[in-house]
Amino acid sequence: MFGIHDLALFIISGLLLNITPGQDVAYIVSRSAGHGWKIGIVAALGVGTGCFVHVFSAALGLSAILATSATAFTVVKFIGAGYLVWVGLAMWRRAGSGQQKISVNCRASLRKVYTQGFLTNALNPKVALFFLAFLPQFVMTEAPSKPLAFLILGILFTFNAVLINLIWAWVGARAASFFQGGGKYVGWIKRSAGTLFIALGVRLACTKSV
């Protein structure tokens, strides 16, 4: 249907790939552990929305530009790396604030968490290349509309990713609940997450175009 084959294998492969921790999971877990499961949900939805950028790019063939243009890949790579480092440094700066309740200006705070999750995924060129390499394996050569097949697979992959990320958010919140270190513990969560994001940003900056 729609020129797609081996759909069950695609779903299983996608779930296994989404279970593997990466920078998206690191962001979701850090937010959930530091501020609770509801904030983790917002972070997961932001990441999922960012994933749609790559889905539509793959369907429209824009991801091919990143795969073939070293300049385009380098520009997006350094923007994404710089953003990750900036998020990491921001977490370190706020590490001393303790268990920060998102109550004052709640709507703006939730929007910030959502936006950061969106950018964490959308500015990662490796995700775009992943979709370009992974999705075509499940699209028939005689598919009546390859962009439509790409779009359907991408939406399905993203839906499964959001479900997995919601579980990661729950795991982060539950893990934090086992420790009762108050503000000191939350401060260490922020420092650890900040260090991880800085490391991920450096690693992304060192990534070579394929």
Side-chain angles (χ1 to χ4, degrees):
M1 184 180 294
F2 301 110
I4 298 171
H5 64 88
D6 295 325
L7 185 59
L9 177 61
F10 172 81
I11 294 174
I12 293 173
S13 301
L15 289 174
L16 291 175
L17 288 167
N18 284 315
I19 291 173
T20 305
Q23 66 189 49
D24 293 337
V25 171
Y27 178 75
I28 293 167
V29 171
S30 66
R31 287 302 189 187
S32 185
H35 299 288
W37 187 50
K38 291 182 179 180
I39 300 303
I41 292 176
V42 175
L45 293 177
V47 168
T49 306
C51 197
F52 278 113
V53 172
H54 302 293
V55 171
F56 286 107
S57 294
L60 296 174
L62 298 178
S63 294
I65 297 176
L66 290 177
T68 57
S69 172
T71 300
F73 182 90
T74 300
V75 169
V76 176
K77 177 183 71 173
F78 281 115
I79 291 175
Y83 178 75
L84 290 176
V85 172
W86 178 80
V87 170
L89 292 175
M91 289 180 175
W92 264 94
R93 287 196 302 269
R94 301 190 187 101
S97 61
Q99 183 66 40
Q100 183 179 345
K101 298 292 184 180
I102 300 185
S103 55
V104 180
N105 200 9
C106 179
R107 185 173 299 177
S109 298
L110 292 177
R111 184 167 60 247
K112 181 177 180 180
V113 171
Y114 178 87
T115 302
Q116 286 184 341
F118 172 82
L119 293 175
T120 296
N121 185 279
L123 292 178
N124 189 349
K126 294 195 297 183
V127 178
L129 296 183
F130 163 77
F131 273 103
L132 193 63
F134 183 64
L135 298 187
Q137 300 179 48
F138 301 91
V139 177
M140 298 177 181
T141 55
E142 65 275 13
S145 175
K146 288 185 174 62
L148 178 60
F150 269 65
L151 190 60
I152 292 173
L153 289 173
I155 291 174
L156 182 58
F157 181 91
T158 302
F159 176 78
N160 290 333
V162 170
L163 293 180
I164 296 297
N165 286 336
L166 290 176
I167 295 175
W168 276 116
W170 178 82
V171 169
R174 291 295 298 169
S177 69
F178 283 110
F179 300 89
Q180 302 298 326
K184 181 179 179 181
Y185 171 67
V186 173
W188 277 109
I189 289 179
K190 292 178 180 178
R191 292 186 185 95
S192 299
T195 301
L196 177 59
F197 267 79
I198 292 172
L200 288 171
V202 173
R203 187 178 71 171
L204 179 57
C206 296
T207 301
K208 296 181 178 179
S209 179
V210 294

